[in-house]
Amino acid sequence: EYYYSGGITTSNPGRTPYGRPVNTVELGRTQVPKEVFEDYLREISPRYTVHTYSILSHNCNNFSNEVAQFLLKVDIPDYILRLPQDVITTPMGYLLR
């Protein structure tokens, strides 16, 4: 499992520091070889650092979407990409701004 958490990180599936997934979304199967994918991750890693992270505009969901585009030519579901904007419109989100 690859994810963006202060940089691009990898863990055994379902074993990230964030615990087991509550939900998973099947996007498809890729034919991209692991070596090609890992080269791609090295290429994009300067854009995914602790310094470039933004909860609203450059977060783990954006990373997942970019990777899904590379591997499958699909986007992750819009409701996931919209989560930061949905939160920011709540009273608690207003305080975060």
Side-chain angles (χ1 to χ4, degrees):
E1 183 169 345
Y2 296 85
Y3 59 99
Y4 175 33
S5 175
I8 298 173
T9 308
T10 186
S11 291
N12 290 328
R15 302 276 187 206
T16 72
Y18 307 106
R20 299 192 67 72
V22 175
N23 188 23
T24 59
V25 177
E26 181 73 31
L27 298 177
R29 297 185 71 79
T30 186
Q31 298 300 314
V32 175
K34 184 176 181 182
E35 297 77 28
V36 172
F37 178 57
E38 289 178 344
D39 286 345
Y40 166 75
L41 292 177
R42 278 189 288 281
E43 180 183 312
I44 68 168
S45 66
R47 293 197 323 263
Y48 289 97
T49 69
V50 67
H51 302 293
T52 62
Y53 184 85
S54 166
I55 196 163
L56 294 178
S57 62
H58 194 71
N59 57 48
C60 56
N61 297 335
N62 302 112
F63 169 76
S64 296
N65 194 60
E66 186 170 339
V67 168
Q69 279 288 324
F70 177 78
L71 293 173
L72 302 164
K73 308 292 187 245
V74 301
D75 289 323
I76 65 173
D78 194 47
Y79 73 89
I80 296 172
L81 287 172
R82 250 191 356 259
L83 282 171
Q85 294 307 317
D86 290 348
V87 169
I88 209 71
T89 62
T90 67
M92 181 60 103
Y94 181 78
L95 293 174
L96 292 173
R97 284 191 280 182

